Amino acid sequence: QVQLVESGGGLVQVGGSLRLSCAASGSIFSIYDMGWYRQAPGKQRELVATSTTGGDTNYADSVKGRFTISRDHAKNTVYLQMNSLKPEDTAVYYCRATIVAATSRVALPYMGQGTQVTVSS
């Protein structure tokens, strides 16, 4: 069974930094794209950043220049370094990945349970 587990969320002051981690585990054959989404109270879930297997990255305009996504392919882990945090970054952050399970050999989307990030002013 494949699962994604996020960590690294918490409470931080405006202008501070946090680093989120998301590790994929289970019977994995391969991982395609990995990324981060977030959902603030009363708002729809939105894309924050994505990373392809080839290293291409994509960021929401609201986080460009402040957030950096990176991957450790050997550890099946994706990171999100968040700097210069703002109150509007407060949200539950979800990891998402397209994973081919070793048993099925079918590429499916997986999402973690989320980690809370709160930026206080």
Side-chain angles (χ1 to χ4, degrees), residues 52-71:
T52 68
T53 304
D56 293 330
T57 57
N58 181 47
Y59 295 92
D61 288 341
S62 59
V63 306
K64 283 180 180 177
R66 300 188 298 122
F67 291 11
T68 302
I69 188 171
S70 61
R71 290 174 66 171

Side-chain angles (χ1 to χ4, degrees), residues 30-91:
S30 63
I31 302 178
Y32 295 157
D33 58 288
M34 299 188 83
W36 293 92
Y37 291 71
R38 67 186 181 187
Q39 187 166 18
K43 295 187 177 181
Q44 289 188 334
R45 191 170 297 178
E46 63 175 0
L47 179 147
V48 176
T50 60
S51 174
T52 68
T53 304
D56 293 330
T57 57
N58 181 47
Y59 295 92
D61 288 341
S62 59
V63 306
K64 283 180 180 177
R66 300 188 298 122
F67 291 11
T68 302
I69 188 171
S70 61
R71 290 174 66 171
D72 185 330
H73 294 275
K75 295 182 179 180
N76 290 336
T77 299
V78 63
Y79 305 96
L80 186 68
Q81 177 66 43
M82 305 185 294
N83 299 327
S84 302
L85 283 161
K86 305 175 181 180
E88 51 264 43
D89 295 319
T90 295

